[in-house]
Amino acid sequence: MLRQIGTAANRGKELVHSIMTFSRAEQADRTVIDAGDVCREAATIAGLSMTGRAHFDVDIEPGPLPVQGNVTQIDRAVVNLCLNARDALLDARGVVQLQVRRVHIDGGRMSGMRGSLSMSPADAPILVESAGPRRTKMLVGLLTHAPAEYLRIRVADDGCGMSESVMRQMFEPFFTTKNVGDGTGLGLSSVLGIVSAHGGAIAVDSALGKGTSFDILLPLLPEMTMAPDPAQSTQARPAHSTEMRVLVVDDDPQTRDALETILEKIGCEASSCDNAREALAVIHDEPDLFDLVITDYIMPDMDGMELAAKLRKHGFARPIILTSGRLQDVPTSERERLGIDVLLPKPFTLRDVGEMIWAVAQRGQLSGRSGPVRITQLPPRESPDTSA
């Protein structure tokens, strides 16, 4: 019963988060951001879930790609589309592509599209065209600044594709073609809400049995005039401080590399092990070396909970963070007994990891340190608009 309650609570949290992402898209503050950097971070996170299922091809145009936007929302929209593309491969291997480019658009309708016009759930116009017996094109939103330079974020796959009837419903809240328990049906509606709130549009091209491409189109600004980054403020780096040292334990090399990159970006010293026994040996040899352990839940030979139990048995009293794509399967009572009160669900963003680490540091859980912990505090999720 307790496990069922925990599972329901986790799914409820996911559902509420998706609803809030959709409903708050209009209210989110925006600043001038480099969308290329945001897409690189999103690619790092999305890439964690591609192992064994898809070849992930990332091609992002170099140089500043300035848009007026909200970092968290654009990051989540890109990650969401990448995960949808992965799922479209079903059980087969295939390719997921993330391509980010500057494009010049001459008119409000792309490529002379003709078809039936209606309104989307976000009150954006939606144009659907049957481009062949098994191919459908869709444009959601108006490109009101055309002719102009736009940022095109393309996520494409060579998976199962979609029928016209599915495409007409895919942005509706709670609509899903996935099995019960595999999705809430709010992912694409959240993406649409975010893109519409950013003054953009979405173009979709899908062919049954051949794959689908989603193009997010956002107005580009003429130049990069970013506000100072609070994350680089000297106030966020106390004097005479020491780095926070984190051990990452995961059998997947992409996950280890991505977490190390994220941790180092926010000011931590990161090391990693590819299995629990190696992690035990490292901490046994130098028990005071690490301030924090982040371990995957599902690993061969010894899982994350077993690792935590052995660490606690040998006196490791510092925080342990458990990460997994199926945290609802973690036994709540055992987790609480081992003092694991921080969970990191996959997929995660750079900001998710940063806020989690900052919260652990601020709670004073790093006993035995000779000085304060230094960690770059990320700006609030909804930063005030300081652009001109």
Side-chain angles (χ1 to χ4, degrees):
M1 177 63 72
L2 288 176
R3 183 171 178 176
Q4 290 175 332
I5 293 172
T7 299
N10 274 288
R11 286 189 56 75
K13 179 181 177 182
E14 176 188 354
L15 182 63
V16 170
H17 175 79
S18 297
I19 292 171
M20 296 304 288
T21 298
F22 179 73
S23 63
R24 289 183 174 176
E26 289 287 351
Q27 289 76 33
D29 292 318
R30 297 173 189 88
T31 57
V32 180
I33 62 174
D34 186 344
D37 285 345
V38 176
C39 289
R40 289 183 188 93
E41 292 176 1
T44 298
I45 303 306
L48 302 179
S49 67
M50 301 292 177
T51 304
R53 296 191 59 179
H55 172 71
F56 192 32
D57 181 15
V58 179
D59 182 10
I60 300 175
E61 181 175 319
L65 297 170
V67 300
Q68 189 84 14
N70 180 280
V71 171
T72 301
Q73 290 190 345
I74 292 178
D75 181 290
R76 291 192 183 280
V78 175
V79 170
N80 205 315
L81 286 181
C82 289
L83 298 185
N84 273 1
R86 175 206 64 188
D87 292 344
L89 301 178
L90 302 178
D91 295 328
R93 292 179 179 270
V95 177
V96 173
Q97 181 188 48
L98 171 62
Q99 183 191 75
V100 182
R101 288 281 186 274
R102 291 174 175 266
V103 294
H104 183 81
I105 296 177
D106 292 327
R109 289 188 177 183
M110 296 180 61
S111 306
M113 282 183 62
R114 297 290 184 270
S116 58
L117 188 65
S118 59
M119 298 300 290
S120 75
D123 293 328
I126 177 169
L127 181 67
V128 178
E129 176 185 359
S130 295
R134 296 172 60 84
R135 182 182 178 191
T136 309
K137 292 184 177 182
M138 173 185 284
L139 177 64
V140 188
L142 289 176
L143 306 179
T144 55
H145 297 281
E149 296 293 316
Y150 274 77
L151 176 72
R152 185 187 70 195
I153 304 171
R154 171 169 292 174
V155 178
D157 65 75
D158 56 358
C160 60
M162 290 182 287
S163 66
E164 181 177 336
S165 62
V166 169
M167 286 184 68
R168 287 182 179 275
Q169 300 177 78
M170 64 183 175
F171 290 114
E172 295 177 4
F174 305 108
F175 174 78
T176 180
T177 59
K178 296 178 181 179
N179 296 326
V180 175
D182 289 342
T184 62
L186 285 168
L188 286 178
S189 56
S190 296
V191 171
L192 174 58
I194 290 167
V195 173
S196 297
H198 280 74
I202 303 176
V204 189
D205 189 343
S206 186
L208 282 170
K210 295 185 177 180
T212 303
S213 67
F214 283 82
D215 288 354
I216 292 177
L217 298 157
L218 301 174
L220 270 171
L221 299 177
E223 60 183 14
M224 200 78 198
T225 55
M226 294 184 66
D229 185 356
Q232 301 303 322
S233 169
T234 55
Q235 294 180 355
R237 295 178 175 270
H240 310 297
S241 62
T242 54
E243 294 286 357
M244 189 174 187
R245 298 172 296 246
V246 183
L247 178 65
V248 176
V249 188
D250 201 299
D251 60 306
D252 177 56
Q254 284 187 304
T255 302
R256 292 197 308 273
D257 291 346
L259 268 174
E260 284 192 80
T261 299
I262 291 172
L263 289 165
E264 289 168 0
K265 186 163 187 174
I266 63 176
C268 297
E269 290 183 3
S271 302
S272 66
C273 296
D274 62 8
N275 64 79
R277 297 196 182 281
E278 181 185 354
L280 283 172
V282 168
I283 293 176
H284 179 269
D285 291 343
E286 296 186 81
D288 297 323
L289 181 60
F290 295 102
D291 304 299
L292 172 68
V293 172
I294 302 177
T295 177
D296 190 26
Y297 175 40
I298 304 298
M299 294 186 292
D301 192 27
M302 184 189 304
D303 66 28
M305 292 289 284
E306 293 172 310
L307 170 61
K310 290 183 180 295
L311 287 174
R312 295 302 190 216
K313 182 178 179 180
H314 290 91
F316 184 83
R318 292 176 180 174
I320 299 172
I321 293 172
L322 199 67
T323 180
S324 175
R326 298 201 47 89
L327 287 174
Q328 65 268 29
D329 294 338
V330 178
T332 303
S333 58
E334 181 68 5
R335 174 175 61 80
E336 292 176 347
R337 185 183 70 81
L338 295 172
I340 303 175
D341 58 353
V342 181
L343 303 176
L344 177 62
K346 295 178 182 178
F348 45 77
T349 67
L350 181 148
R351 186 174 298 275
D352 291 335
V353 177
E355 290 182 347
M356 173 196 66
I357 297 289
W358 181 257
V360 170
Q362 290 295 93
R363 282 155 59 179
Q365 292 181 310
L366 306 175
S367 59
R369 292 301 300 261
S370 59
V373 171
R374 186 181 90 184
I375 178 169
T376 303
Q377 184 177 14
L378 293 173
R381 279 189 178 273
E382 310 298 352
S383 304
D385 189 348
T386 57
S387 59

